[in-house]
């Protein structure tokens, strides 16, 4: 079985990868289109050269590898970033996979991403692309795919992950709730820059009582379409 999980950056996606990777008989794939995305866009991300050297820079090669089924009796969990799928890249490689979406309040995403990378582009946060891919998958399935909100996972990981597993056709496993600290061989080479908090974690961080981050007025205006999309998807989230 293959699980294709779509999210934008800074949306609890790496912790979800840890959660699924801690299941029995489960392998994980970390952002397999990242190198192709950087090669095509020319964006100067941290560790750009190392990322491109670590993966196929042709998206078609990455897609062919993903289309191959996992070994018998094993599950493959694929962590995908929506912004990595550029116009012209097709989605036929998802055929036969269980597809789900992980969302987060855009204000929290923007604040978290900005702490790691300044001068971001709106396209790097992926909100519009996430809506596009969600609509595409919905059309292919004839129904909305499962959606989980990062806030719900942090608030009640057992119940939210149980609902997600049921929607994916997988049994829930208690091992998904906690894991050993440290990095993994399956982590992308970019883990050295982006996964500091993940390496120290042993489970999902509990919900915070801190207020939603306040952004400058220009950023708030820029996020209005993203907020509308997030609210639409959040209304469909498993709870």
């Amino acid at each position: 079985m293959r699980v294709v999980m779509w999210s934008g950056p800074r949306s609890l996606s790496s912790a979800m990868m840890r959660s699924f990777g801690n299941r029995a008989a489960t392998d994980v794939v970390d952002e397999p289109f990242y190198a192709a995305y950087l090669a095509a866009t020319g964006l100067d991300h941290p560790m750009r050269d190392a990322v491109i050297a670590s993966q196929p820079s042709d998206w078609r090669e990455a897609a062919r590898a993903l289309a191959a089924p996992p070994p018998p009796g094993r599950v493959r969990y694929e962590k995908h970033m929506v912004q990595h799928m550029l116009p012209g890249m097709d989605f036929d490689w998802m055929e036969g996979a269980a597809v789900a979406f992980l969302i987060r309040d855009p204000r929290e995403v923007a604040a978290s991403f900005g702490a790691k990378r300044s001068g971001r582009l709106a396209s790097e946060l992926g909100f519009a692309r996430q809506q596009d891919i969600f609509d595409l998958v919905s059309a292919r399935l004839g129904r909305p795919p499962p959606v989980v909100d990062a806030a719900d996972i942090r608030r009640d990981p057992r119940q939210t992950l149980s609902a997600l597993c049921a929607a994916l056709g997988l049994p829930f496993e208690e091992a998904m709730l906690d894991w050993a600290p440290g990095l993994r061989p399956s982590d992308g080479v970019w883990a050295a820059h982006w996964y500091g908090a993940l390496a120290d974690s042993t489970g999902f961080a509990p919900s915070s009582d801190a207020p939603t981050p306040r952004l400058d007025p220009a950023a708030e205006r820029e996020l209005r379409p993203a907020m509308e999309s997030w609210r639409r998807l959040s209304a469909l989230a498993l709870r």
Side-chain angles (χ1 to χ4, degrees):
M1 180 179 180
R2 294 172 57 205
V3 176
V4 172
M5 179 64 80
W6 290 105
S7 75
R10 316 308 290 174
S11 297
L12 211 68
S13 58
S14 298
M16 283 287 280
M17 179 177 67
R18 279 289 183 275
S19 175
F20 273 83
N22 216 39
R23 293 174 55 93
T26 300
D27 305 306
V28 300
V29 178
D30 192 6
E31 301 183 28
F33 291 102
Y34 193 5
Y37 169 72
L38 291 181
T41 61
L43 286 171
D44 186 22
H45 274 205
M47 303 184 68
R48 169 188 163 86
D49 292 342
V51 174
I52 292 176
S54 72
Q55 294 179 322
S57 57
D58 185 334
W59 71 269
R60 299 169 189 82
E61 184 179 348
R64 283 193 294 270
L66 293 170
R74 297 195 69 81
V75 173
R76 186 168 74 222
Y77 178 89
E78 301 170 9
K79 171 196 169 192
H80 290 283
M81 295 285 104
V82 292
Q83 73 275 17
H84 291 173
M85 301 306 293
L86 300 169
M89 296 181 177
D90 70 46
F91 294 85
D92 292 345
W93 53 271
M94 289 197 302
E95 186 68 30
V99 183
F101 285 77
L102 172 64
I103 61 174
R104 188 183 183 190
D105 186 324
R107 294 165 295 184
E108 296 179 357
V109 172
S112 179
F113 192 80
K116 286 285 187 177
R117 173 167 164 75
S118 61
R120 68 180 186 275
L121 302 173
S123 60
E124 291 185 77
L125 299 181
F127 298 120
R129 194 57 171 148
Q130 184 171 53
Q131 186 68 65
D132 291 342
I133 297 173
F134 179 85
D135 291 342
L136 180 148
V137 174
S138 297
R140 287 191 174 190
L141 293 176
R143 55 176 172 77
V147 178
V148 285
D149 195 305
D152 293 323
I153 296 171
R154 294 182 64 187
R155 187 178 300 113
D156 194 338
R158 178 178 280 103
Q159 290 294 335
T160 307
L161 292 176
S162 294
L164 174 60
C165 287
L168 294 171
L170 286 171
F172 170 73
E173 296 183 10
E174 288 288 326
M176 299 177 71
L177 299 177
D178 52 66
W179 50 82
L183 298 178
R184 307 283 192 272
S186 55
D187 294 339
V189 297
W190 52 90
H193 178 81
W194 293 100
Y195 290 1
L198 179 69
D200 294 334
S201 73
T202 57
F204 292 103
S207 296
S208 171
D209 293 329
T212 302
R214 294 186 63 84
L215 305 175
D216 64 73
E220 291 278 2
R221 287 192 296 272
E222 181 183 336
L223 287 178
R224 283 174 187 165
M227 291 297 296
E228 181 179 346
S229 174
W230 170 68
R231 291 187 181 106
R232 175 186 169 193
L233 297 186
S234 185
L236 300 171
L238 300 168
R239 295 188 171 94

